[in-house]
PDB file of all heavy atoms in Angstrom:
ATOM      1  N   HIS A  24       0.794  -1.206  -0.071  1.00  0.00           N
ATOM      2  CA  HIS A  24       0.051   0.097   0.093  1.00  0.00           C
ATOM      3  C   HIS A  24       0.862   1.284  -0.057  1.00  0.00           C
ATOM      4  O   HIS A  24       0.289   2.350  -0.290  1.00  0.00           O
ATOM      5  CB  HIS A  24      -0.907  -0.054   1.184  1.00  0.00           C
ATOM      6  CG  HIS A  24      -0.284   0.002   2.607  1.00  0.00           C
ATOM      7  ND1 HIS A  24       0.466  -1.152   2.926  1.00  0.00           N
ATOM      8  CD2 HIS A  24      -0.022   1.090   3.402  1.00  0.00           C
ATOM      9  CE1 HIS A  24       0.974  -0.823   4.194  1.00  0.00           C
ATOM     10  NE2 HIS A  24       0.604   0.501   4.478  1.00  0.00           N
ATOM     11  N   LEU A  25       2.200   1.149   0.220  1.00  0.00           N
ATOM     12  CA  LEU A  25       2.996   2.226   0.293  1.00  0.00           C
ATOM     13  C   LEU A  25       3.870   2.390  -1.095  1.00  0.00           C
ATOM     14  O   LEU A  25       3.927   1.497  -1.903  1.00  0.00           O
ATOM     15  CB  LEU A  25       4.075   2.144   1.436  1.00  0.00           C
ATOM     16  CG  LEU A  25       3.473   2.060   2.793  1.00  0.00           C
ATOM     17  CD1 LEU A  25       4.579   1.742   3.790  1.00  0.00           C
ATOM     18  CD2 LEU A  25       2.813   3.437   3.079  1.00  0.00           C
ATOM     19  N   PRO A  26       4.300   3.665  -1.337  1.00  0.00           N
ATOM     20  CA  PRO A  26       5.063   3.835  -2.518  1.00  0.00           C
ATOM     21  C   PRO A  26       6.309   2.981  -2.630  1.00  0.00           C
ATOM     22  O   PRO A  26       7.086   2.902  -1.679  1.00  0.00           O
ATOM     23  CB  PRO A  26       5.461   5.251  -2.597  1.00  0.00           C
ATOM     24  CG  PRO A  26       4.551   5.984  -1.639  1.00  0.00           C
ATOM     25  CD  PRO A  26       4.195   4.921  -0.641  1.00  0.00           C
ATOM     26  N   GLN A  27       6.325   2.114  -3.637  1.00  0.00           N
ATOM     27  CA  GLN A  27       7.358   1.064  -3.590  1.00  0.00           C
ATOM     28  C   GLN A  27       8.819   1.557  -3.651  1.00  0.00           C
ATOM     29  O   GLN A  27       9.832   0.873  -3.208  1.00  0.00           O
ATOM     30  CB  GLN A  27       7.088  -0.008  -4.784  1.00  0.00           C
ATOM     31  CG  GLN A  27       5.846  -0.800  -4.569  1.00  0.00           C
ATOM     32  CD  GLN A  27       5.927  -1.527  -3.118  1.00  0.00           C
ATOM     33  OE1 GLN A  27       6.653  -2.530  -2.959  1.00  0.00           O
ATOM     34  NE2 GLN A  27       5.065  -0.996  -2.223  1.00  0.00           N
ATOM     35  N   GLU A  28       9.008   2.681  -4.245  1.00  0.00           N
ATOM     36  CA  GLU A  28      10.378   3.310  -4.299  1.00  0.00           C
ATOM     37  C   GLU A  28      10.745   3.639  -2.875  1.00  0.00           C
ATOM     38  O   GLU A  28      11.991   3.440  -2.479  1.00  0.00           O
ATOM     39  CB  GLU A  28      10.400   4.694  -5.127  1.00  0.00           C
ATOM     40  CG  GLU A  28      11.801   5.136  -5.186  1.00  0.00           C
ATOM     41  CD  GLU A  28      11.719   6.427  -6.150  1.00  0.00           C
ATOM     42  OE1 GLU A  28      11.464   6.219  -7.412  1.00  0.00           O
ATOM     43  OE2 GLU A  28      11.841   7.516  -5.627  1.00  0.00           O
ATOM     44  N   ARG A  29       9.950   4.114  -1.950  1.00  0.00           N
ATOM     45  CA  ARG A  29      10.336   4.395  -0.666  1.00  0.00           C
ATOM     46  C   ARG A  29      10.588   3.176   0.124  1.00  0.00           C
ATOM     47  O   ARG A  29      11.389   3.099   0.974  1.00  0.00           O
ATOM     48  CB  ARG A  29       9.231   5.174  -0.044  1.00  0.00           C
ATOM     49  CG  ARG A  29       9.256   6.783  -0.481  1.00  0.00           C
ATOM     50  CD  ARG A  29       8.236   7.533   0.199  1.00  0.00           C
ATOM     51  NE  ARG A  29       8.245   8.903  -0.434  1.00  0.00           N
ATOM     52  CZ  ARG A  29       7.875   9.991   0.249  1.00  0.00           C
ATOM     53  NH1 ARG A  29       7.615   9.906   1.450  1.00  0.00           N
ATOM     54  NH2 ARG A  29       7.986  11.103  -0.425  1.00  0.00           N
ATOM     55  N   VAL A  30       9.678   2.179  -0.136  1.00  0.00           N
ATOM     56  CA  VAL A  30       9.822   0.779   0.513  1.00  0.00           C
ATOM     57  C   VAL A  30      11.198   0.316   0.243  1.00  0.00           C
ATOM     58  O   VAL A  30      11.874  -0.157   1.121  1.00  0.00           O
ATOM     59  CB  VAL A  30       8.627  -0.183   0.273  1.00  0.00           C
ATOM     60  CG1 VAL A  30       8.981  -1.461   0.832  1.00  0.00           C
ATOM     61  CG2 VAL A  30       7.345   0.410   0.664  1.00  0.00           C
ATOM     62  N   MET A  31      11.676   0.402  -1.065  1.00  0.00           N
ATOM     63  CA  MET A  31      12.767  -0.147  -1.443  1.00  0.00           C
ATOM     64  C   MET A  31      14.013   0.574  -0.834  1.00  0.00           C
ATOM     65  O   MET A  31      14.999  -0.102  -0.335  1.00  0.00           O
ATOM     66  CB  MET A  31      12.901  -0.055  -2.949  1.00  0.00           C
ATOM     67  CG  MET A  31      13.872  -0.955  -3.669  1.00  0.00           C
ATOM     68  SD  MET A  31      13.605  -0.722  -5.331  1.00  0.00           S
ATOM     69  CE  MET A  31      14.117  -2.267  -5.985  1.00  0.00           C
ATOM     70  N   MET A  32      13.947   1.827  -0.817  1.00  0.00           N
ATOM     71  CA  MET A  32      15.060   2.647  -0.156  1.00  0.00           C
ATOM     72  C   MET A  32      15.046   2.292   1.448  1.00  0.00           C
ATOM     73  O   MET A  32      16.056   2.142   1.999  1.00  0.00           O
ATOM     74  CB  MET A  32      14.673   4.071  -0.294  1.00  0.00           C
ATOM     75  CG  MET A  32      15.900   4.890   0.202  1.00  0.00           C
ATOM     76  SD  MET A  32      15.800   6.611  -0.484  1.00  0.00           S
ATOM     77  CE  MET A  32      17.232   7.382   0.228  1.00  0.00           C
ATOM     78  N   ALA A  33      13.867   2.218   2.124  1.00  0.00           N
ATOM     79  CA  ALA A  33      13.733   1.834   3.562  1.00  0.00           C
ATOM     80  C   ALA A  33      14.414   0.434   3.759  1.00  0.00           C
ATOM     81  O   ALA A  33      15.114   0.235   4.702  1.00  0.00           O
ATOM     82  CB  ALA A  33      12.459   2.064   3.973  1.00  0.00           C
ATOM     83  N   LEU A  34      13.984  -0.372   2.806  1.00  0.00           N
ATOM     84  CA  LEU A  34      14.615  -1.704   2.939  1.00  0.00           C
ATOM     85  C   LEU A  34      16.103  -1.821   2.822  1.00  0.00           C
ATOM     86  O   LEU A  34      16.793  -2.407   3.528  1.00  0.00           O
ATOM     87  CB  LEU A  34      13.885  -2.689   1.877  1.00  0.00           C
ATOM     88  CG  LEU A  34      14.370  -4.076   1.695  1.00  0.00           C
ATOM     89  CD1 LEU A  34      14.280  -4.900   3.022  1.00  0.00           C
ATOM     90  CD2 LEU A  34      13.755  -4.863   0.645  1.00  0.00           C
ATOM     91  N   THR A  35      16.550  -1.045   1.728  1.00  0.00           N
ATOM     92  CA  THR A  35      18.032  -0.923   1.583  1.00  0.00           C
ATOM     93  C   THR A  35      18.733  -0.399   2.812  1.00  0.00           C
ATOM     94  O   THR A  35      19.740  -1.033   3.284  1.00  0.00           O
ATOM     95  CB  THR A  35      18.369  -0.031   0.329  1.00  0.00           C
ATOM     96  OG1 THR A  35      17.616  -0.594  -0.771  1.00  0.00           O
ATOM     97  CG2 THR A  35      19.916   0.060   0.136  1.00  0.00           C
ATOM     98  N   LEU A  36      18.265   0.619   3.322  1.00  0.00           N
ATOM     99  CA  LEU A  36      18.825   1.232   4.494  1.00  0.00           C
ATOM    100  C   LEU A  36      18.763   0.226   5.740  1.00  0.00           C
ATOM    101  O   LEU A  36      19.683   0.299   6.657  1.00  0.00           O
ATOM    102  CB  LEU A  36      18.353   2.596   4.827  1.00  0.00           C
ATOM    103  CG  LEU A  36      18.661   3.729   3.666  1.00  0.00           C
ATOM    104  CD1 LEU A  36      17.902   4.915   3.959  1.00  0.00           C
ATOM    105  CD2 LEU A  36      20.152   3.677   3.570  1.00  0.00           C
ATOM    106  N   THR A  37      17.663  -0.390   5.815  1.00  0.00           N
ATOM    107  CA  THR A  37      17.455  -1.367   6.980  1.00  0.00           C
ATOM    108  C   THR A  37      18.417  -2.451   6.801  1.00  0.00           C
ATOM    109  O   THR A  37      19.034  -2.879   7.851  1.00  0.00           O
ATOM    110  CB  THR A  37      16.077  -1.937   6.878  1.00  0.00           C
ATOM    111  OG1 THR A  37      15.044  -0.834   7.218  1.00  0.00           O
ATOM    112  CG2 THR A  37      15.863  -2.992   8.025  1.00  0.00           C
ATOM    113  N   LEU A  38      18.758  -2.951   5.625  1.00  0.00           N
ATOM    114  CA  LEU A  38      19.747  -4.041   5.443  1.00  0.00           C
ATOM    115  C   LEU A  38      21.115  -3.443   5.844  1.00  0.00           C
ATOM    116  O   LEU A  38      21.737  -4.129   6.599  1.00  0.00           O
ATOM    117  CB  LEU A  38      19.627  -4.613   3.992  1.00  0.00           C
ATOM    118  CG  LEU A  38      18.411  -5.356   3.609  1.00  0.00           C
ATOM    119  CD1 LEU A  38      18.487  -5.648   2.174  1.00  0.00           C
ATOM    120  CD2 LEU A  38      18.118  -6.445   4.498  1.00  0.00           C
ATOM    121  N   VAL A  39      21.414  -2.344   5.342  1.00  0.00           N
ATOM    122  CA  VAL A  39      22.720  -1.625   5.706  1.00  0.00           C
ATOM    123  C   VAL A  39      22.981  -1.536   7.217  1.00  0.00           C
ATOM    124  O   VAL A  39      23.882  -1.942   7.681  1.00  0.00           O
ATOM    125  CB  VAL A  39      22.924  -0.301   4.939  1.00  0.00           C
ATOM    126  CG1 VAL A  39      24.096   0.376   5.463  1.00  0.00           C
ATOM    127  CG2 VAL A  39      22.996  -0.532   3.444  1.00  0.00           C
ATOM    128  N   LYS A  40      21.892  -0.914   7.786  1.00  0.00           N
ATOM    129  CA  LYS A  40      21.990  -0.754   9.278  1.00  0.00           C
ATOM    130  C   LYS A  40      22.051  -2.119  10.039  1.00  0.00           C
ATOM    131  O   LYS A  40      22.881  -2.319  11.010  1.00  0.00           O
ATOM    132  CB  LYS A  40      20.728  -0.007   9.881  1.00  0.00           C
ATOM    133  CG  LYS A  40      20.803   0.368  11.159  1.00  0.00           C
ATOM    134  CD  LYS A  40      19.731   1.297  11.566  1.00  0.00           C
ATOM    135  CE  LYS A  40      19.882   1.691  13.060  1.00  0.00           C
ATOM    136  NZ  LYS A  40      18.772   2.777  13.491  1.00  0.00           N
ATOM    137  N   GLY A  41      21.244  -3.118   9.590  1.00  0.00           N
ATOM    138  CA  GLY A  41      21.333  -4.412  10.292  1.00  0.00           C
ATOM    139  C   GLY A  41      22.698  -5.067  10.045  1.00  0.00           C
ATOM    140  O   GLY A  41      23.143  -5.515  11.155  1.00  0.00           O
ATOM    141  N   VAL A  42      23.317  -4.978   8.938  1.00  0.00           N
ATOM    142  CA  VAL A  42      24.660  -5.604   8.726  1.00  0.00           C
ATOM    143  C   VAL A  42      25.702  -4.840   9.613  1.00  0.00           C
ATOM    144  O   VAL A  42      26.505  -5.424  10.199  1.00  0.00           O
ATOM    145  CB  VAL A  42      25.026  -5.567   7.163  1.00  0.00           C
ATOM    146  CG1 VAL A  42      26.465  -5.846   7.092  1.00  0.00           C
ATOM    147  CG2 VAL A  42      24.157  -6.556   6.502  1.00  0.00           C
ATOM    148  N   CYS A  43      25.483  -3.469   9.506  1.00  0.00           N
ATOM    149  CA  CYS A  43      26.638  -2.701  10.193  1.00  0.00           C
ATOM    150  C   CYS A  43      26.490  -2.731  11.719  1.00  0.00           C
ATOM    151  O   CYS A  43      27.597  -2.520  12.379  1.00  0.00           O
ATOM    152  CB  CYS A  43      26.616  -1.296   9.683  1.00  0.00           C
ATOM    153  SG  CYS A  43      27.147  -1.269   7.895  1.00  0.00           S
ATOM    154  N   GLU A  44      25.304  -2.958  12.184  1.00  0.00           N
ATOM    155  CA  GLU A  44      25.179  -3.075  13.690  1.00  0.00           C
ATOM    156  C   GLU A  44      25.896  -4.223  14.105  1.00  0.00           C
ATOM    157  O   GLU A  44      26.381  -4.331  15.250  1.00  0.00           O
ATOM    158  CB  GLU A  44      23.576  -3.103  14.100  1.00  0.00           C
ATOM    159  CG  GLU A  44      23.041  -1.715  14.127  1.00  0.00           C
ATOM    160  CD  GLU A  44      21.502  -1.797  14.448  1.00  0.00           C
ATOM    161  OE1 GLU A  44      20.979  -2.817  14.197  1.00  0.00           O
ATOM    162  OE2 GLU A  44      21.061  -0.767  14.882  1.00  0.00           O
ATOM    163  N   GLN A  45      25.817  -5.382  13.358  1.00  0.00           N
ATOM    164  CA  GLN A  45      26.516  -6.619  13.619  1.00  0.00           C
ATOM    165  C   GLN A  45      27.984  -6.557  13.278  1.00  0.00           C
ATOM    166  O   GLN A  45      28.764  -7.326  14.016  1.00  0.00           O
ATOM    167  CB  GLN A  45      25.888  -7.762  12.851  1.00  0.00           C
ATOM    168  CG  GLN A  45      24.353  -8.015  13.085  1.00  0.00           C
ATOM    169  CD  GLN A  45      23.828  -8.959  12.069  1.00  0.00           C
ATOM    170  OE1 GLN A  45      24.454  -9.723  11.457  1.00  0.00           O
ATOM    171  NE2 GLN A  45      22.456  -9.099  12.070  1.00  0.00           N
ATOM    172  N   ALA A  46      28.346  -5.764  12.261  1.00  0.00           N
ATOM    173  CA  ALA A  46      29.806  -5.731  11.910  1.00  0.00           C
ATOM    174  C   ALA A  46      30.101  -4.286  11.627  1.00  0.00           C
ATOM    175  O   ALA A  46      30.102  -3.855  10.269  1.00  0.00           O
ATOM    176  CB  ALA A  46      30.057  -6.661  10.576  1.00  0.00           C
ATOM    177  N   PRO A  47      30.346  -3.480  12.457  1.00  0.00           N
ATOM    178  CA  PRO A  47      30.502  -2.029  12.167  1.00  0.00           C
ATOM    179  C   PRO A  47      31.700  -1.624  11.297  1.00  0.00           C
ATOM    180  O   PRO A  47      31.635  -0.730  10.637  1.00  0.00           O
ATOM    181  CB  PRO A  47      30.778  -1.515  13.611  1.00  0.00           C
ATOM    182  CG  PRO A  47      30.195  -2.496  14.560  1.00  0.00           C
ATOM    183  CD  PRO A  47      30.333  -3.801  13.960  1.00  0.00           C
ATOM    184  N   ARG A  48      32.730  -2.525  11.147  1.00  0.00           N
ATOM    185  CA  ARG A  48      33.826  -2.272  10.379  1.00  0.00           C
ATOM    186  C   ARG A  48      33.353  -2.186   8.818  1.00  0.00           C
ATOM    187  O   ARG A  48      34.161  -1.591   8.074  1.00  0.00           O
ATOM    188  CB  ARG A  48      34.909  -3.343  10.532  1.00  0.00           C
ATOM    189  CG  ARG A  48      34.457  -4.638  10.059  1.00  0.00           C
ATOM    190  CD  ARG A  48      35.483  -5.729  10.370  1.00  0.00           C
ATOM    191  NE  ARG A  48      35.220  -7.004   9.544  1.00  0.00           N
ATOM    192  CZ  ARG A  48      34.157  -7.787  10.068  1.00  0.00           C
ATOM    193  NH1 ARG A  48      33.215  -7.432  10.799  1.00  0.00           N
ATOM    194  NH2 ARG A  48      34.016  -8.952   9.295  1.00  0.00           N
ATOM    195  N   LEU A  49      32.240  -2.739   8.453  1.00  0.00           N
ATOM    196  CA  LEU A  49      31.730  -2.798   7.171  1.00  0.00           C
ATOM    197  C   LEU A  49      31.044  -1.472   6.704  1.00  0.00           C
ATOM    198  O   LEU A  49      30.660  -1.236   5.712  1.00  0.00           O
ATOM    199  CB  LEU A  49      30.891  -3.845   6.897  1.00  0.00           C
ATOM    200  CG  LEU A  49      31.451  -5.256   7.199  1.00  0.00           C
ATOM    201  CD1 LEU A  49      30.217  -6.345   6.932  1.00  0.00           C
ATOM    202  CD2 LEU A  49      32.589  -5.616   6.321  1.00  0.00           C
ATOM    203  N   LEU A  50      30.813  -0.513   7.786  1.00  0.00           N
ATOM    204  CA  LEU A  50      30.041   0.587   7.584  1.00  0.00           C
ATOM    205  C   LEU A  50      30.461   1.570   6.390  1.00  0.00           C
ATOM    206  O   LEU A  50      29.785   1.882   5.512  1.00  0.00           O
ATOM    207  CB  LEU A  50      29.836   1.365   8.877  1.00  0.00           C
ATOM    208  CG  LEU A  50      29.028   2.811   8.725  1.00  0.00           C
ATOM    209  CD1 LEU A  50      27.656   2.471   8.239  1.00  0.00           C
ATOM    210  CD2 LEU A  50      29.064   3.583  10.021  1.00  0.00           C
ATOM    211  N   ARG A  51      31.729   1.849   6.540  1.00  0.00           N
ATOM    212  CA  ARG A  51      32.234   2.881   5.486  1.00  0.00           C
ATOM    213  C   ARG A  51      32.013   2.476   4.083  1.00  0.00           C
ATOM    214  O   ARG A  51      31.465   3.134   3.119  1.00  0.00           O
ATOM    215  CB  ARG A  51      33.692   3.168   5.872  1.00  0.00           C
ATOM    216  CG  ARG A  51      34.340   4.277   4.919  1.00  0.00           C
ATOM    217  CD  ARG A  51      35.587   4.623   5.596  1.00  0.00           C
ATOM    218  NE  ARG A  51      35.541   4.949   7.038  1.00  0.00           N
ATOM    219  CZ  ARG A  51      35.333   6.077   7.581  1.00  0.00           C
ATOM    220  NH1 ARG A  51      35.070   7.033   6.792  1.00  0.00           N
ATOM    221  NH2 ARG A  51      35.316   6.213   8.898  1.00  0.00           N
ATOM    222  N   LYS A  52      32.518   1.208   3.787  1.00  0.00           N
ATOM    223  CA  LYS A  52      32.346   0.770   2.474  1.00  0.00           C
ATOM    224  C   LYS A  52      30.914   0.419   2.001  1.00  0.00           C
ATOM    225  O   LYS A  52      30.516   0.784   0.887  1.00  0.00           O
ATOM    226  CB  LYS A  52      33.162  -0.555   2.160  1.00  0.00           C
ATOM    227  CG  LYS A  52      34.608  -0.259   2.139  1.00  0.00           C
ATOM    228  CD  LYS A  52      35.392  -1.623   1.948  1.00  0.00           C
ATOM    229  CE  LYS A  52      36.899  -1.408   1.869  1.00  0.00           C
ATOM    230  NZ  LYS A  52      37.711  -2.628   1.863  1.00  0.00           N
ATOM    231  N   LEU A  53      30.114  -0.099   2.989  1.00  0.00           N
ATOM    232  CA  LEU A  53      28.620  -0.362   2.595  1.00  0.00           C
ATOM    233  C   LEU A  53      27.936   0.918   2.558  1.00  0.00           C
ATOM    234  O   LEU A  53      27.000   0.861   1.696  1.00  0.00           O
ATOM    235  CB  LEU A  53      28.149  -1.320   3.710  1.00  0.00           C
ATOM    236  CG  LEU A  53      26.719  -1.852   3.494  1.00  0.00           C
ATOM    237  CD1 LEU A  53      26.753  -2.605   2.025  1.00  0.00           C
ATOM    238  CD2 LEU A  53      26.301  -2.753   4.545  1.00  0.00           C
ATOM    239  N   PHE A  54      28.289   1.932   3.211  1.00  0.00           N
ATOM    240  CA  PHE A  54      27.622   3.180   3.054  1.00  0.00           C
ATOM    241  C   PHE A  54      27.756   3.725   1.703  1.00  0.00           C
ATOM    242  O   PHE A  54      26.782   4.092   0.991  1.00  0.00           O
ATOM    243  CB  PHE A  54      28.090   4.338   4.121  1.00  0.00           C
ATOM    244  CG  PHE A  54      27.465   5.686   3.980  1.00  0.00           C
ATOM    245  CD1 PHE A  54      26.326   5.903   4.718  1.00  0.00           C
ATOM    246  CD2 PHE A  54      27.993   6.544   3.178  1.00  0.00           C
ATOM    247  CE1 PHE A  54      25.813   7.158   4.696  1.00  0.00           C
ATOM    248  CE2 PHE A  54      27.445   7.770   3.121  1.00  0.00           C
ATOM    249  CZ  PHE A  54      26.316   8.141   3.798  1.00  0.00           C
ATOM    250  N   HIS A  55      29.039   3.693   1.174  1.00  0.00           N
ATOM    251  CA  HIS A  55      29.261   4.107  -0.144  1.00  0.00           C
ATOM    252  C   HIS A  55      28.564   3.276  -1.236  1.00  0.00           C
ATOM    253  O   HIS A  55      28.085   3.743  -2.267  1.00  0.00           O
ATOM    254  CB  HIS A  55      30.700   4.255  -0.405  1.00  0.00           C
ATOM    255  CG  HIS A  55      31.363   5.508   0.372  1.00  0.00           C
ATOM    256  ND1 HIS A  55      31.039   6.683  -0.067  1.00  0.00           N
ATOM    257  CD2 HIS A  55      32.079   5.482   1.387  1.00  0.00           C
ATOM    258  CE1 HIS A  55      31.773   7.536   0.764  1.00  0.00           C
ATOM    259  NE2 HIS A  55      32.328   6.826   1.687  1.00  0.00           N
ATOM    260  N   THR A  56      28.566   1.906  -0.984  1.00  0.00           N
ATOM    261  CA  THR A  56      27.940   1.037  -1.892  1.00  0.00           C
ATOM    262  C   THR A  56      26.415   1.347  -1.888  1.00  0.00           C
ATOM    263  O   THR A  56      25.811   1.343  -3.078  1.00  0.00           O
ATOM    264  CB  THR A  56      28.079  -0.486  -1.463  1.00  0.00           C
ATOM    265  OG1 THR A  56      29.537  -0.678  -1.401  1.00  0.00           O
ATOM    266  CG2 THR A  56      27.439  -1.410  -2.256  1.00  0.00           C
ATOM    267  N   ALA A  57      25.849   1.499  -0.851  1.00  0.00           N
ATOM    268  CA  ALA A  57      24.396   1.845  -0.665  1.00  0.00           C
ATOM    269  C   ALA A  57      24.001   3.097  -1.362  1.00  0.00           C
ATOM    270  O   ALA A  57      23.066   3.300  -2.061  1.00  0.00           O
ATOM    271  CB  ALA A  57      23.922   1.847   0.649  1.00  0.00           C
ATOM    272  N   LEU A  58      24.945   4.181  -1.206  1.00  0.00           N
ATOM    273  CA  LEU A  58      24.759   5.509  -1.827  1.00  0.00           C
ATOM    274  C   LEU A  58      24.858   5.215  -3.366  1.00  0.00           C
ATOM    275  O   LEU A  58      23.990   5.914  -4.124  1.00  0.00           O
ATOM    276  CB  LEU A  58      25.807   6.491  -1.372  1.00  0.00           C
ATOM    277  CG  LEU A  58      25.790   7.920  -2.004  1.00  0.00           C
ATOM    278  CD1 LEU A  58      24.366   8.524  -1.481  1.00  0.00           C
ATOM    279  CD2 LEU A  58      26.846   8.662  -1.309  1.00  0.00           C
ATOM    280  N   GLN A  59      25.723   4.455  -3.849  1.00  0.00           N
ATOM    281  CA  GLN A  59      25.819   4.220  -5.237  1.00  0.00           C
ATOM    282  C   GLN A  59      24.602   3.439  -5.762  1.00  0.00           C
ATOM    283  O   GLN A  59      24.052   3.721  -6.845  1.00  0.00           O
ATOM    284  CB  GLN A  59      27.049   3.438  -5.555  1.00  0.00           C
ATOM    285  CG  GLN A  59      27.308   3.075  -7.030  1.00  0.00           C
ATOM    286  CD  GLN A  59      28.552   2.285  -7.099  1.00  0.00           C
ATOM    287  OE1 GLN A  59      28.843   1.449  -6.334  1.00  0.00           O
ATOM    288  NE2 GLN A  59      29.294   2.557  -8.206  1.00  0.00           N
ATOM    289  N   TYR A  60      24.039   2.491  -4.993  1.00  0.00           N
ATOM    290  CA  TYR A  60      22.921   1.743  -5.311  1.00  0.00           C
ATOM    291  C   TYR A  60      21.711   2.686  -5.389  1.00  0.00           C
ATOM    292  O   TYR A  60      20.757   2.670  -6.334  1.00  0.00           O
ATOM    293  CB  TYR A  60      22.596   0.633  -4.307  1.00  0.00           C
ATOM    294  CG  TYR A  60      21.390  -0.104  -4.597  1.00  0.00           C
ATOM    295  CD1 TYR A  60      21.240  -1.048  -5.583  1.00  0.00           C
ATOM    296  CD2 TYR A  60      20.383   0.045  -3.626  1.00  0.00           C
ATOM    297  CE1 TYR A  60      19.934  -1.740  -5.696  1.00  0.00           C
ATOM    298  CE2 TYR A  60      19.188  -0.686  -3.782  1.00  0.00           C
ATOM    299  CZ  TYR A  60      18.911  -1.506  -4.817  1.00  0.00           C
ATOM    300  OH  TYR A  60      17.883  -2.324  -5.099  1.00  0.00           O
ATOM    301  N   ILE A  61      21.469   3.514  -4.298  1.00  0.00           N
ATOM    302  CA  ILE A  61      20.263   4.427  -4.286  1.00  0.00           C
ATOM    303  C   ILE A  61      20.349   5.580  -5.362  1.00  0.00           C
ATOM    304  O   ILE A  61      19.336   5.934  -5.795  1.00  0.00           O
ATOM    305  CB  ILE A  61      20.223   4.993  -2.847  1.00  0.00           C
ATOM    306  CG1 ILE A  61      19.900   3.949  -1.869  1.00  0.00           C
ATOM    307  CG2 ILE A  61      19.243   6.040  -2.742  1.00  0.00           C
ATOM    308  CD1 ILE A  61      19.948   4.277  -0.372  1.00  0.00           C
ATOM    309  N   ASN A  62      21.541   6.076  -5.546  1.00  0.00           N
ATOM    310  CA  ASN A  62      21.674   7.160  -6.429  1.00  0.00           C
ATOM    311  C   ASN A  62      22.768   6.858  -7.542  1.00  0.00           C
ATOM    312  O   ASN A  62      23.675   7.528  -7.542  1.00  0.00           O
ATOM    313  CB  ASN A  62      22.098   8.348  -5.559  1.00  0.00           C
ATOM    314  CG  ASN A  62      21.828   9.661  -6.087  1.00  0.00           C
ATOM    315  OD1 ASN A  62      21.202   9.853  -7.124  1.00  0.00           O
ATOM    316  ND2 ASN A  62      22.267  10.801  -5.367  1.00  0.00           N
ATOM    317  N   PRO A  63      22.390   5.854  -8.383  1.00  0.00           N
ATOM    318  CA  PRO A  63      23.444   5.523  -9.430  1.00  0.00           C
ATOM    319  C   PRO A  63      23.841   6.563 -10.370  1.00  0.00           C
ATOM    320  O   PRO A  63      24.902   6.510 -10.865  1.00  0.00           O
ATOM    321  CB  PRO A  63      22.745   4.295 -10.123  1.00  0.00           C
ATOM    322  CG  PRO A  63      21.172   4.512  -9.806  1.00  0.00           C
ATOM    323  CD  PRO A  63      21.207   5.305  -8.456  1.00  0.00           C
ATOM    324  N   ALA A  64      22.948   7.393 -10.674  1.00  0.00           N
ATOM    325  CA  ALA A  64      23.202   8.381 -11.723  1.00  0.00           C
ATOM    326  C   ALA A  64      24.316   9.402 -11.267  1.00  0.00           C
ATOM    327  O   ALA A  64      25.072   9.960 -12.120  1.00  0.00           O
ATOM    328  CB  ALA A  64      21.944   9.273 -12.013  1.00  0.00           C
ATOM    329  N   ARG A  65      24.415   9.528 -10.026  1.00  0.00           N
ATOM    330  CA  ARG A  65      25.455  10.476  -9.482  1.00  0.00           C
ATOM    331  C   ARG A  65      26.628   9.772  -8.979  1.00  0.00           C
ATOM    332  O   ARG A  65      27.601  10.551  -8.481  1.00  0.00           O
ATOM    333  CB  ARG A  65      24.862  11.452  -8.283  1.00  0.00           C
ATOM    334  CG  ARG A  65      23.630  12.158  -8.776  1.00  0.00           C
ATOM    335  CD  ARG A  65      23.315  13.227  -7.749  1.00  0.00           C
ATOM    336  NE  ARG A  65      22.061  13.782  -7.890  1.00  0.00           N
ATOM    337  CZ  ARG A  65      21.794  14.719  -8.835  1.00  0.00           C
ATOM    338  NH1 ARG A  65      22.675  15.139  -9.499  1.00  0.00           N
ATOM    339  NH2 ARG A  65      20.470  15.216  -8.836  1.00  0.00           N
TER     340      ARG A  65
END
């Protein structure tokens, strides 16, 4: 029932947060990976 683009972005960030809470050392690279995934044109 929600806009799927927003759900997809929230899901992406939820996965990033879940992984990085378990393995904080992955945050920096995963942040940039997620930024590239969310905003590929830039």
Side-chain angles (χ1 to χ4, degrees):
H24 63 285
L25 296 174
Q27 292 304 288
E28 182 177 292
R29 288 184 185 207
V30 172
M31 202 173 207
M32 187 166 178
L34 174 60
T35 300
L36 295 177
T37 299
L38 295 177
V39 168
K40 186 172 185 173
V42 167
C43 294
E44 284 178 334
Q45 296 171 17
R48 71 187 187 291
L49 301 177
L50 177 64
R51 189 170 304 276
K52 286 183 184 175
L53 189 51
F54 180 90
H55 288 289
T56 298
L58 184 61
Q59 185 181 31
Y60 175 72
I61 289 169
N62 204 1
R65 300 193 194 282

